[in-house]
């Protein structure tokens, strides 16, 4: 089902492109043949190139077929020169479409200055191919003896008509992907009014109206001047289409000697008038593109600003911005929750005086100067003051703010209240101190080993039993145990490193040279991720109890 639908769409596109190319080509030939002016040029070039950009290069077959039929029709017979004309016309259309799509996306229509520059470049370059092939075909049609009709002037006129046809009609097709509701621009009432004014001026300048006096030649530019206003205010779609309306009206007026052309005009004045008309219409389209890009960038910046404001408003971190005098410019909602100052209370005030204790101001100022000098990502942990006078601990991450010239104009920073971590660290340190106090006085030998079997800690009982000084740690188990003991305890150590808690009785020869009976407990140290990081060894010397039992048994 989907394949049939795509096939019907493709056939419809082939038909549309073929009919448009043939019809506009016939219109261009009708205006151009026998007339010493360019008019709208060869409009089929710009429209067909636009269709190839929007619908795909596969439509070149339709362009070639319609171009061949067009030239055969005007030559009244099939000649090889007609084939050359068709190849040149199709070639310049394909070259224009290829250059337009190289690195550019036209799915959103003509809206950027980059597209505008590419369009002007293509409009000047692609017609060179058609002009070369057209001059060759004309030379073949007229014969090698016709030197005067086939010259550089012929090549130039052929190039000029194709270039004008592209520059005037391609922007129209390029504006079609824009949604139709934007046809009259951001202010539809103004767009409709400008369309009525331009059409009215075209009727006044280019038709035989009811005025008895002849219309002055300069009045033909009034519609173009109104078009400039339309380009600045009413959007690209309306401007491009009104440009075509003005050119079509001017061409009909010239062809039928009506309106401003109802008089004898010198060739020089005629050429000058068309140059000014083209400059006005092209400038209007360029102005509409630049204005469209400016609106797009403004909308994009506004969207980014709204997102940034939402980020600042809802960020889990306090966000603050200062100027170069350390005065606060931006104060987020989270900053109010952390420090207690409302935005009205602190905005414009010195952050150094309100937020930083006196004893830390020198250090904070040095960090501040580093950020102002352009050092990005300065991180620090400082004590800060709240509105209630309470001292809290905060992590700060500061970065410079630049203007459009790259000059540092302020500092933006994120802060997190980490007072709880300071409290937790103090509690942990206190707990560790208690553990060490207890561990140092109990008679059991306590030691800690990493997963790599390196002893990192041993209490006094452990050090005394091995005749070691605390400075000799860390030390591996192989250095602590004899070779015989190592062979015996290796399987046990493997089990405890796998997370098993063990308790065993063993007899070992210690550093005093005597045999000692030991009751040893091995406890794995399991981290938050569930992995074994090391293990504890708690060893009780039960030798004296063994000796006492033996004496009691002997008695």
């Amino acid at each position: 089902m989907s394949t049939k639908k795509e096939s019907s769409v493709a056939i419809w596109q082939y038909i549309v492109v073929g009919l448009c190319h043939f019809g506009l080509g016939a219109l261009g030939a009708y205006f151009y043949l026998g007339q010493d002016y360019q008019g709208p040029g060869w409009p089929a070039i710009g429209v067909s190139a636009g269709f190839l950009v929007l619908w795909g290069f596969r439509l070149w077959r339709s362009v070639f077929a319609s171009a061949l039929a067009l030239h055969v029709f005007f030559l009244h017979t099939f000649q090889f020169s007609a084939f050359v004309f068709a190849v040149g016309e199709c070639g310049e259309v394909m070259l224009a479409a290829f250059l337009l799509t190289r690195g550019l996306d036209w799915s959103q229509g003509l809206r950027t200055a980059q597209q505008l520059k590419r369009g002007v470049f293509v409009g000047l370059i692609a017609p060179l191919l058609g002009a070369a092939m057209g001059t060759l075909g004309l030379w073949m049609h007229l014969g090698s003896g016709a030197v005067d009709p086939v010259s550089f002037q012929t090549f130039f006129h052929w190039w000029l008509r194709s270039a004008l046809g592209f520059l005037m009609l391609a922007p129209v097709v390029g504006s079609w992907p824009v949604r139709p509701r934007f046809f009259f621009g951001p202010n539809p009432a103004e767009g409709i009014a400008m369309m009525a004014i331009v059409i009215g001026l075209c009727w006044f300048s280019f038709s035989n109206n009811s005025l008895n006096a002849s219309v002055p030649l300069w009045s033909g530019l009034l519609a173009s001047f109104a078009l400039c206003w339309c380009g600045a205010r009413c959007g690209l779609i309306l401007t491009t289409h009104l440009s075509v309306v003005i050119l079509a009206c001017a061409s009909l007026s010239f062809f039928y000697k009506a309106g401003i052309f109802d008089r004898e005009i010198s060739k020089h004045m005629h050429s000058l008038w068309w140059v000014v008309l083209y400059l006005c219409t092209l400038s209007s389209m360029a102005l509409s593109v630049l204005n469209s890009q400016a609106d797009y960038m403004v909308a994009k910046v506004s969207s980014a600003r709204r997102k940034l404001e939402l980020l600042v408003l809802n960020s889990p971190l306090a966000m603050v911005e200062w100027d170069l005098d350390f005065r606060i410019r931006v104060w987020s909602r989270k900053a109010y929750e952390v420090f207690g100052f409302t935005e009205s209370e602190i905005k414009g005030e010195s952050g150094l005086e309100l937020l930083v204790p006196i004893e830390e101001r020198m250090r904070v100022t040095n960090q501040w100067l580093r950020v102002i000098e352009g050092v990005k990502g300065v991180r620090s942990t400082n004590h800060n003051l709240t509105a209630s006078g309470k001292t809290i601990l905060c992590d700060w991450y500061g970065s410079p703010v630049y203007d459009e010239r790259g000059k540092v104009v302020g500092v933006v920073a994120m802060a997190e209240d980490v007072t709880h971590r300071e409290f937790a660290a103090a509690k942990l340190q206190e707990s560790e101190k208690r553990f060490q106090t207890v561990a140092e006085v109990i008679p059991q030998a306590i030691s800690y080993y990493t997963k790599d079997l390196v002893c990192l800690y041993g209490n006094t009982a452990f050090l005394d039993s091995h005749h070691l000084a605390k400075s000799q740690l860390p030390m591996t188990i192989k250095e602590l145990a004899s070779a015989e003991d190592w062979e015996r305890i290796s399987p046990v150590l493997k089990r405890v490193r796998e997370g098993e808690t063990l308790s065993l009785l063993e007899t070992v020869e210690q550093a005093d040279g005597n045999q000692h009976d030991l009751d040893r407990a091995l406890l794995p140290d399991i981290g938050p991720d569930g992995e074994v990081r090391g293990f504890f060894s708690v060893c009780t010397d039960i030798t004296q109890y063994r000796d006492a039992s033996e004496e009691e048994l002997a008695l």
Side-chain angles (χ1 to χ4, degrees):
M1 187 70 179
S2 177
T3 305
K4 291 182 179 179
K5 185 176 181 180
E6 292 176 0
S7 177
S8 63
V9 171
I11 294 173
W12 174 76
Q13 291 175 348
Y14 276 111
I15 294 174
V16 170
V17 173
L19 291 178
C20 286
H21 191 88
F22 185 88
L24 292 174
L27 181 64
Y30 177 71
F31 281 140
Y32 182 74
L33 293 178
Q35 302 294 328
D36 188 20
Y37 89 115
Q38 297 303 323
W42 196 262
I45 302 299
V47 172
S48 297
F51 278 132
L52 261 64
V53 169
L54 296 181
W55 290 346
F57 283 85
R58 69 182 189 282
L59 300 175
W60 70 268
R61 303 178 184 87
S62 185
V63 175
F64 176 76
S66 57
L68 182 61
L70 179 67
H71 290 292
V72 169
F73 176 78
F74 278 100
L75 291 177
H76 304 293
T77 180
F78 180 81
Q79 298 180 12
F80 187 72
S81 57
F83 179 80
V84 176
F85 289 146
V87 169
E89 194 164 321
C90 183
E92 66 178 315
V93 169
M94 293 183 66
L95 177 61
F98 171 75
L99 293 176
L100 283 175
T101 55
R102 189 171 178 81
L104 292 179
D105 179 20
W106 295 85
S107 60
Q108 300 293 323
L110 176 59
R111 63 191 308 171
T112 66
Q114 185 181 10
Q115 291 174 319
L116 179 64
K117 290 187 289 185
R118 179 68 63 82
V120 174
F121 171 76
V122 172
L124 299 178
I125 297 300
L128 293 175
L129 176 61
M133 296 297 292
T135 305
L136 175 62
L138 188 61
W139 178 81
M140 294 173 61
H141 179 69
L142 297 177
S144 59
V147 179
D148 292 336
V150 184
S151 61
F152 175 76
Q153 185 176 4
T154 304
F155 174 86
F156 174 76
H157 278 279
W158 202 293
W159 169 83
L160 183 60
R161 66 158 199 170
S162 295
L164 292 177
F166 178 85
L167 292 175
M168 298 312 303
L169 272 299
V172 175
V173 182
S175 66
W176 286 347
V178 182
R179 284 172 286 183
R181 68 187 182 92
F182 294 121
F183 185 90
F184 292 106
N187 189 349
E190 184 178 5
I192 294 173
M194 290 306 303
M195 182 179 68
I197 291 173
V198 170
I199 293 176
L201 291 174
C202 286
W203 174 82
F204 172 75
S205 303
F206 303 124
S207 67
N208 291 324
N209 49 63
S210 58
L211 297 177
N212 295 326
S214 61
V215 182
L217 184 62
W218 57 264
S219 66
L221 301 177
L222 292 177
S224 299
F225 295 153
L227 188 68
C228 292
W229 177 272
C230 185
R233 299 276 299 176
C234 302
L236 176 65
I237 308 179
L238 183 62
T239 303
T240 53
H241 285 75
L242 289 181
S243 299
V244 175
V245 169
I246 293 174
L247 286 175
C249 291
S251 300
L252 290 171
S253 176
F254 183 87
F255 191 81
Y256 291 109
K257 305 298 181 184
I260 62 174
F261 295 110
D262 186 16
R263 69 191 74 198
E264 292 295 330
I265 305 175
S266 65
K267 185 176 181 179
H268 174 73
M269 181 61 67
H270 161 255
S271 300
L272 179 62
W273 190 89
W274 277 104
V275 167
V276 175
L277 178 64
Y278 273 116
L279 287 176
C280 289
T281 51
L282 290 174
S283 299
S284 300
M285 287 190 287
L287 185 61
S288 65
V289 172
L290 295 177
N291 191 50
S292 174
Q293 183 182 21
D295 292 340
Y296 174 74
M297 294 304 297
V298 168
K300 195 171 182 179
V301 170
S302 299
S303 176
R305 183 175 297 171
R306 286 194 297 271
K307 292 178 181 178
L308 181 60
E309 289 175 352
L310 288 174
L311 175 64
V312 172
L313 188 63
N314 300 311
S315 173
L317 301 178
M319 302 189 71
V320 186
E321 182 181 341
W322 295 273
D323 61 16
L324 295 181
D325 295 327
F326 221 123
R327 299 192 178 279
I328 295 173
R329 294 193 297 206
V330 176
W331 188 256
S332 71
R333 183 168 59 189
K334 187 64 177 179
Y336 162 69
E337 295 176 4
V338 172
F339 298 101
F341 294 99
T342 63
E343 185 176 9
S344 59
E345 290 174 338
I346 202 167
K347 201 168 183 180
E349 300 295 330
S350 173
L352 189 65
E353 296 177 0
L354 291 179
L355 300 178
V356 183
I358 297 177
E359 61 273 12
E360 292 201 20
R361 288 182 184 178
M362 182 61 68
R363 184 168 66 89
V364 171
T365 301
N366 292 333
Q367 295 167 352
W368 168 266
L369 293 176
R370 288 183 61 207
V371 180
I372 292 179
E373 291 171 358
V375 179
K376 297 180 180 179
V378 176
R379 187 168 185 174
S380 62
T381 302
N382 309 317
H383 285 94
N384 294 106
L385 299 174
T386 64
S388 62
K390 181 182 175 182
T391 301
I392 61 175
L393 185 69
C394 294
D395 270 347
W396 290 89
Y397 185 89
S399 185
V401 177
Y402 300 94
D403 62 8
E404 62 276 2
R405 294 171 294 180
K407 183 181 178 181
V408 178
V409 293
V411 175
V412 63
M414 296 179 292
E416 181 183 10
D417 184 1
V418 294
T419 308
H420 62 284
R421 282 195 290 178
E422 185 181 36
F423 178 76
K427 286 292 185 182
L428 179 61
Q429 186 177 6
E430 183 180 352
S431 176
E432 289 180 351
K433 186 175 181 180
R434 289 174 181 171
F435 167 76
Q436 289 182 357
T437 301
V438 173
E440 293 300 322
V441 299
I442 64 176
Q444 282 81 9
I446 300 176
S447 55
Y448 178 79
Y449 302 85
T450 67
K451 200 172 182 180
D452 297 328
L453 304 180
V454 176
C455 180
L456 298 181
Y457 169 78
N459 66 350
T460 302
F462 172 83
L463 296 175
D464 291 343
S465 65
H466 289 81
H467 290 191
L468 295 174
K470 186 171 291 188
S471 60
Q472 292 178 263
L473 297 180
M475 181 180 292
T476 64
I477 291 183
K478 284 187 176 183
E479 295 174 311
L480 292 171
S482 64
E484 181 181 350
D485 290 338
W486 170 252
E487 292 294 333
R488 178 175 53 81
I489 65 175
S490 290
V492 177
L493 296 178
K494 180 179 179 182
R495 292 169 60 189
V496 74
R497 284 187 294 171
E498 292 175 351
E500 187 176 349
T501 299
L502 300 175
S503 180
L504 63 152
L505 296 174
E506 56 183 348
T507 301
V508 298
E509 183 179 342
Q510 291 191 348
D512 58 3
N514 298 321
Q515 296 289 330
H516 289 260
D517 292 331
L518 303 177
D519 182 5
R520 187 184 300 274
L522 297 176
L523 310 172
D525 177 23
I526 301 176
D529 56 356
E531 295 292 329
V532 177
R533 299 181 296 187
F535 61 92
F536 291 92
S537 172
V538 180
C539 188
T540 303
D541 190 343
I542 60 173
T543 305
Q544 56 181 339
Y545 302 110
R546 182 201 63 185
D547 294 342
S549 298
E550 289 179 352
E551 290 178 2
E552 183 178 356
L553 182 63
L555 290 173

